[in-house]
Amino acid sequence: MKFNEDSPIYVQIIEKIKADIVSGKLKGGDKLPSVREIAETFKVNPNTVQRVYMELEREGVAFPQRGIGTFIAEGEELMEKLKSTQAQKYTKRYVGEMKELGMKNNEVLDNVKKVLEGNENGDS
Amino acid sequence: MVILKADKISKKYFTKPALTDVDISLEQGKIIGLLGPNGSGKTTFLKLITGMVRPSAGNLTVNGFEIGYKSKELVAFLPDSEFLYDWMTIKDARDVYANFFRDFNARRFTELLEFMKLTEDMRVKSLSKGMKEKLVLALTLARDAKLFVLDEPLNGVDPVARELILGAIIRCFNPESTVLVTSHLINEIESILDEAYFLKEGRIVLHGGVDNLRSENHKSLDELYREVFA
């Protein structure tokens, strides 16, 4: 996993796990790999991974089972919430960058439409 | 719990200052980077920890002990690979370590060798630079030390070997010990660090948790490094 410059590494791993939940790669009840496994795969400090799990538990996205591991929480409500907060986050980032380019609201929307229509025509 | 404490350490070679008023405090269970360009004083600081040179002023303790035989027992230092003789096999090198260090963990060494894709029957003579580096790291990390001091473990090795070396450091990391690592390959080393000290012309110019440094400056450690040392 390549990390970018903008935010702490633990935040980026959290984003990745949340993205995997929203996309369905990770499902409610799935067991997350151990701290050590993640640390070795991503080549990151085990304390960083520990922090990721603590944060996910605090947000109610994951829960620990003593002596077994950490699991993804289940429930429609959580999924919906995660879906909408993640979608909002990415959209805000996109809109922010478009505003920086000096785009107006209708231009922002037009460009989204263009890309979506392009995708439908198969030339994304 | 603090494993290493440097209190206002200064070191002069004759009149030339190498380190000035260096305060460093290494806590248990952390991987800490000592970062700076060539000649910034990194190696001098490491030599102070191993007792090869003595400070001109200030106090240095490891686990509460002044530098001496007691502190040396607790510190595993990654030396450069020149102490290995060409006629040795990896098994011979292991035996030297096992005889020399009471805390040498033979089982962990075997695991590490396998992880590094080395075998005991290989001759030192036939090893490439990267393979030697991996062997010496395996020997160092196989000790049950309190403090691991790794001087430029990524130097002169290819990207695949670097991944293995970082993997080995993470694999051997345990909450009971502390790792101090120097490097000027900031991009490669950043993700395994808890904290970083920036050393410039013998002084600590920046210190902090890597996460905090990133979120406060909105920059990676590498970018910050370029700013401080440009």
Side-chain angles (χ1 to χ4, degrees):
Chain A
M1 180 168 171
K2 271 271 162 248
F3 298 105
N4 64 36
E5 289 82 40
D6 325 331
S7 54
I9 286 170
Y10 81 95
V11 175
Q12 296 183 45
I13 300 176
I14 290 174
E15 291 295 303
K16 167 91 174 86
I17 291 175
K18 283 183 180 170
D20 283 351
I21 296 173
V22 171
S23 74
K25 258 189 238 164
L26 282 172
K27 292 185 181 63
D30 278 358
K31 183 176 179 297
L32 286 164
S34 74
V35 167
R36 212 153 260 280
E37 279 170 307
I38 294 213
E40 276 192 42
T41 336
F42 290 141
K43 301 284 180 293
V44 296
N45 189 306
N47 294 328
T48 306
V49 184
Q50 196 68 55
R51 190 163 178 188
V52 168
Y53 281 16
M54 265 170 53
E55 202 62 34
L56 288 174
E57 283 160 23
R58 202 183 53 80
E59 291 179 32
V61 176
F63 62 95
Q65 284 272 35
R66 206 171 250 278
I68 310 177
T70 305
F71 294 81
I72 303 286
E74 279 171 281
E76 280 296 302
E77 209 178 311
L78 175 81
M79 262 307 279
E80 285 308 312
K81 202 180 119 204
L82 214 49
K83 221 172 177 170
S84 85
T85 51
Q86 291 306 97
Q88 278 293 307
K89 208 176 284 173
Y90 290 134
T91 309
K92 272 184 190 153
R93 194 182 301 165
Y94 163 70
V95 172
E97 283 172 2
M98 290 296 274
K99 294 272 166 178
E100 254 176 58
L101 292 174
M103 301 284 176
K104 297 194 181 62
N105 284 354
N106 59 331
E107 288 173 301
V108 174
L109 281 172
D110 281 348
N111 275 288
V112 173
K113 274 188 204 138
K114 242 186 236 171
V115 171
L116 288 175
E117 280 155 16
N119 276 351
E120 271 168 19
N121 298 335
D123 56 6
S124 57
Chain B
M1 186 179 152
V2 175
I3 296 286
L4 178 140
K5 180 121 188 87
D7 193 13
K8 293 250 172 299
I9 288 281
S10 294
K11 174 67 191 170
K12 282 181 185 164
Y13 291 113
F14 299 105
T15 56
K16 192 180 170 290
L19 291 172
T20 312
D21 286 340
V22 169
D23 287 323
I24 287 180
S25 174
L26 307 183
E27 275 173 54
Q28 195 172 41
K30 286 191 171 178
I31 304 179
I32 297 134
L34 183 61
L35 313 174
N38 298 329
S40 57
K42 290 182 308 227
T43 305
T44 298
F45 187 73
L46 301 191
K47 281 182 177 169
L48 289 168
I49 300 174
T50 58
M52 281 189 269
V53 297
R54 303 205 153 268
S56 314
N59 244 324
L60 184 63
T61 53
V62 176
N63 223 14
F65 299 115
E66 303 255 322
I67 302 304
Y69 75 93
K70 273 196 172 152
S71 78
K72 287 179 197 178
E73 271 188 350
L74 304 171
V75 179
F77 185 66
L78 175 75
D80 59 39
S81 44
E82 297 313 311
F83 76 99
L84 297 168
Y85 294 107
D86 272 351
W87 54 263
M88 283 181 164
T89 60
I90 289 183
K91 188 176 173 302
D92 293 326
R94 182 203 68 186
D95 291 344
V96 170
Y97 259 66
N99 278 323
F100 212 84
F101 298 108
R102 240 190 308 196
D103 60 1
F104 188 78
N105 184 329
R107 214 181 58 193
R108 179 152 3 106
F109 179 70
T110 310
E111 274 173 29
L112 277 165
L113 266 196
E114 196 183 328
F115 183 72
M116 302 287 207
K117 302 192 174 69
L118 298 169
T119 53
E120 287 198 337
D121 56 350
M122 289 175 168
R123 281 200 179 274
V124 168
K125 199 185 162 108
S126 68
L127 299 180
S128 69
K129 190 169 187 291
M131 287 160 101
K132 269 189 197 166
E133 202 60 44
K134 283 189 268 185
L135 168 59
V136 179
L137 187 75
L139 288 165
T140 309
L141 291 178
R143 288 183 56 193
D144 288 319
K146 267 277 176 225
L147 175 64
F148 293 90
V149 179
L150 312 177
D151 195 5
E152 301 283 355
L154 304 178
N155 239 11
V157 298
D158 66 78
V160 178
R162 273 181 208 163
E163 291 266 299
L164 273 182
I165 286 174
L166 291 176
I169 296 173
I170 293 166
R171 179 171 280 231
C172 293
F173 175 74
N174 74 72
E176 309 288 295
S177 61
T178 302
V179 180
L180 178 66
V181 54
T182 71
S183 186
H184 52 250
L185 296 163
I186 314 296
N187 253 339
E188 273 84 350
I189 204 87
E190 165 169 14
S191 64
I192 74 160
L193 299 179
D194 286 291
E195 276 176 42
Y197 283 88
F198 282 26
L199 195 58
K200 187 181 187 180
E201 290 157 16
R203 291 173 188 272
I204 302 292
V205 289
L206 188 66
H207 164 233
V210 173
D211 286 338
N212 289 343
L213 289 173
R214 260 181 180 249
S215 47
E216 280 162 19
N217 301 288
H218 295 284
K219 284 187 181 97
S220 71
L221 212 55
D222 190 52
E223 288 173 296
L224 212 53
Y225 182 88
R226 283 163 207 270
E227 226 166 70
V228 170
F229 295 105

